[in-house]
């Protein structure tokens, strides 16, 4: 088992990564100190892991099983978590445990942040995407019909417990979507990780345990380092949104039904890299390497033909927009992301026309 720490100053918490954690009674008892637990999960994950987890948890354990899927990442669904907390008479000493992917984790975290003005929260991510990204760093929230993740709170968990065994049941498409976020860390932060991914993509797609564990640990290390320096995204943390401004536009414009979040982010990274090239920030070879690794990861490289104007409209709802300017995360070189607010509009227009 690997254990890392996230230290954001006002709080610190462990990320435990390893096989069989969900079924390790002693380990769970030592790390989950709650008299009252509400396990929040969904209709896909519950039949796979809820019984096993419940069997190994101590204390009073209640459950809340949500419908599955990004279209349900709404305030209405979070309301059902509140209903469960109230109906089980949970108080401020209760802890919400999110068992599932990023959708469950984001909603359970938001419910924990606001129920009785904040109760404890534990992330137990079961998708690759959630293990490498969404469970770490304290962003919680839901979508609004006007845009992705528009409502939410920064709220750090007490612990992140990533049982790598759960990845065995993850559909291939979801695994690939998670790889997009791992590729992201290589692009914006760690060129050696990028090279490693380039050389080991076959092992990752074949779910080699050692390769997956390395990818998860290295991703969490990078995310923890960035979040420790800028928890509330005043500056550095924005680079973790590489590919997301375009990606969120793709997801929202297609009603969260055509592309998985990771797929949209992968496409967004390609589009952001294309723009970085048009702006003269990077060489053609870098654009080529990013495109090639996305193809190796079997991620989509064709955006929906929604039109450049519509894409731009959705991009204007991005949370990085400042004084009306759409700030973008671009690449300065492979392994270094930068946030840029002033760029040639004709270059952006050319990129948008090419992809949308
Ligand atoms: P998801 O939560 O929808 O999970 C993907 C699918 O896999 C779902 O159908 C889910 O039920 C199923 N599933 C989960 N675990 C499984 C398992 N072990 N075996 C079989 N099926 C399983 O999607 P995701 O990719 O995990 O997360 C995407 C969400 O995360 C988006 O809403 C995105 O905005 C959010 N996100 C948040 C952050 C953050 O910092 N908070 C970062 C990145 C992404
Ligand atoms: N996934 C972007 C962030 O956590 O900041």
């Amino acid at each position: 088992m690997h254990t890392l720490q996230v230290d954001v100053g006002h709080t610190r918490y462990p990320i435990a990564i390893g096989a069989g954690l969900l079924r390790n009674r002693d380990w769970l008892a030592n790390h989950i100190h709650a008299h009252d637990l509400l396990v929040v999960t969904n209709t896909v994950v519950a039949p796979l892991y809820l019984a096993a987890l419940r069997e190994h948890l101590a204390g009073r354990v209640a459950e809340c099983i949500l419908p599955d899927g990004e279209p349900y990442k709404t305030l209405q669904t979070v309301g059902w978590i509140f209903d469960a907390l109230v109906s089980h008479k949970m108080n401020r000493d209760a802890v919400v445990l999110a068992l599932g992917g990023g959708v469950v984790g984001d909603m359970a975290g938001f419910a924990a942040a606001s129920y009785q003005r904040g109760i404890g929260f534990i992330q137990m991510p079961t998708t690759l995407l959630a293990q490498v990204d969404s469970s770490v760093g304290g962003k919680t929230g839901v979508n609004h019909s006007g845009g992705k993740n528009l409502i939410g709170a920064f709220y750090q968990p007490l612990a992140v417990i990533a049982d790598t065994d759960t990845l065995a049941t993850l559909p291939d498409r979801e695994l690939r979507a998670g790889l997009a976020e791992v590729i992201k860390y290589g692009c914006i932060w760690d060129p050696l990780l990028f090279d490693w991914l380039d050389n080991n993509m076959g092992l990752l797609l074949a779910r080699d345990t050692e390769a997956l564990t390395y990818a998860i640990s290295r991703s969490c290390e990078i995310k923890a380092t960035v979040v420790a320096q800028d928890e509330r995204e005043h500056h550095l943390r924005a680079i973790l949104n590489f590919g997301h401004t375009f990606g969120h536009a793709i997801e929202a414009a297609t009603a969260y039904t055509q592309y998985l979040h990771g797929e949209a982010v992968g496409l967004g990274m390609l589009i952001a890299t294309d723009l970085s090239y048009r702006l003269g920030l990077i060489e053609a070879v870098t654009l080529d390497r990013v495109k090639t690794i996305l193809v190796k990861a079997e991620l989509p490289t064709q955006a929906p033909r929604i039109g450049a104007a519509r894409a731009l409209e959705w991009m204007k709802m991005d949370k990085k927009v400042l004084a009306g300017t759409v700030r973008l995360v671009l690449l300065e070189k492979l392994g270094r992301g930068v946030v840029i607010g002033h760029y040639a509009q004709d270059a952006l227009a050319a990129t948008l026309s090419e992809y949308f």
Side-chain angles (χ1 to χ4, degrees):
M1 193 198 5
H2 298 247
T3 309
L4 308 166
Q5 292 290 326
V6 184
D7 188 344
V8 289
H10 63 91
T11 183
R12 69 198 306 263
Y13 58 92
I15 308 172
I17 302 160
L21 293 177
L22 188 142
R23 290 179 166 83
N24 189 329
R25 186 190 307 272
D26 293 341
W27 190 91
L28 291 173
N30 282 332
H31 291 82
I32 302 179
H33 310 282
H35 165 67
D36 255 343
L37 263 183
L38 180 74
V39 179
V40 177
T41 185
N42 71 19
T43 49
V44 170
V45 179
L48 294 169
Y49 299 111
L50 185 55
L53 176 64
R54 282 197 73 138
E55 201 184 308
H56 296 94
L57 288 173
R60 189 168 78 114
V61 181
E63 60 196 48
C64 172
I65 302 176
L66 304 174
D68 177 49
E70 187 77 36
Y72 286 101
K73 191 174 141 179
T74 61
L75 266 184
Q76 188 192 11
T77 311
V78 170
W80 298 335
I81 306 178
F82 293 139
D83 292 346
L85 286 161
V86 172
S87 71
H88 291 289
K89 300 194 170 18
M90 298 224 165
N91 302 117
R92 278 206 169 141
D93 56 358
V95 167
V96 169
L97 188 155
L99 173 72
V103 170
V104 162
D106 280 11
M107 286 194 289
F110 186 50
S114 34
Y115 183 67
Q116 299 200 4
R117 302 199 179 88
I119 61 173
F121 167 49
I122 290 173
Q123 288 270 22
M124 200 172 265
T126 61
T127 63
L128 180 61
L129 187 137
Q131 295 188 356
V132 301
D133 191 353
S134 64
S135 64
V136 176
K139 278 189 183 177
T140 70
V142 295
N143 304 326
H144 182 275
S145 57
K148 172 93 177 149
N149 292 340
L150 291 187
I151 300 156
F154 287 99
Y155 197 65
Q156 300 295 339
L158 300 168
V160 179
I161 302 167
D163 183 339
T164 50
D165 281 350
T166 59
L167 300 181
T169 52
L170 198 63
D172 287 338
R173 187 175 168 203
E174 297 290 351
L175 184 88
R176 298 194 293 265
L179 288 173
E181 299 277 13
V182 184
I183 294 169
K184 174 186 80 179
Y185 296 114
C187 290
I188 57 159
W189 192 265
D190 185 355
L192 294 180
L193 174 63
F194 190 96
D195 290 344
W196 181 87
L197 289 167
D198 217 4
N199 293 327
N200 292 281
M201 195 56 78
L203 282 178
L204 290 165
L205 290 171
R207 299 174 194 240
D208 177 85
T209 308
E210 211 178 306
L212 279 173
T213 305
Y214 172 73
I216 297 164
S217 307
R218 183 64 192 131
S219 298
C220 287
E221 257 169 34
I222 295 170
K223 183 145 188 187
T225 304
V226 172
V227 170
Q229 291 176 53
D230 180 24
E231 181 195 9
R232 300 242 159 178
E233 201 170 302
H234 296 303
H235 45 92
L236 179 68
R237 184 169 181 165
I239 63 169
L240 295 176
N241 278 310
F242 179 53
H244 285 60
T245 307
F246 299 105
H248 285 172
I250 290 168
E251 284 185 275
T254 54
Y256 306 102
T257 51
Q258 244 174 283
Y259 294 83
L260 300 179
H261 174 71
E263 292 173 338
V265 166
L267 256 169
M269 294 194 295
L270 177 60
I271 298 169
T273 308
D274 180 280
L275 180 58
S276 309
Y277 170 64
R278 282 179 207 266
L279 292 169
L281 294 168
I282 55 167
E283 308 281 333
V285 65
T286 304
L287 173 57
D288 199 50
R289 286 199 71 193
V290 171
K291 200 180 290 183
T292 304
I293 203 163
L294 293 170
V295 171
K296 266 192 194 175
E298 298 172 23
L299 284 159
T301 52
Q302 297 287 324
R305 289 287 174 190
I306 57 174
R310 218 171 126 219
L312 192 57
E313 275 314 302
W314 281 109
M315 286 166 64
K316 287 183 180 157
M317 284 312 291
D318 190 82
K319 291 183 293 307
K320 288 182 299 306
V321 170
L322 208 60
T325 303
V326 181
R327 295 183 305 144
L328 292 169
V329 185
L330 300 174
L331 292 187
E332 224 170 39
K333 62 179 184 178
L334 201 55
R336 178 143 357 126
V338 278
V339 184
I340 295 190
H342 298 286
Y343 42 83
Q345 290 300 316
D346 57 342
L348 175 62
T351 292
L352 292 179
S353 304
E354 169 143 352
Y355 286 90
F356 295 104

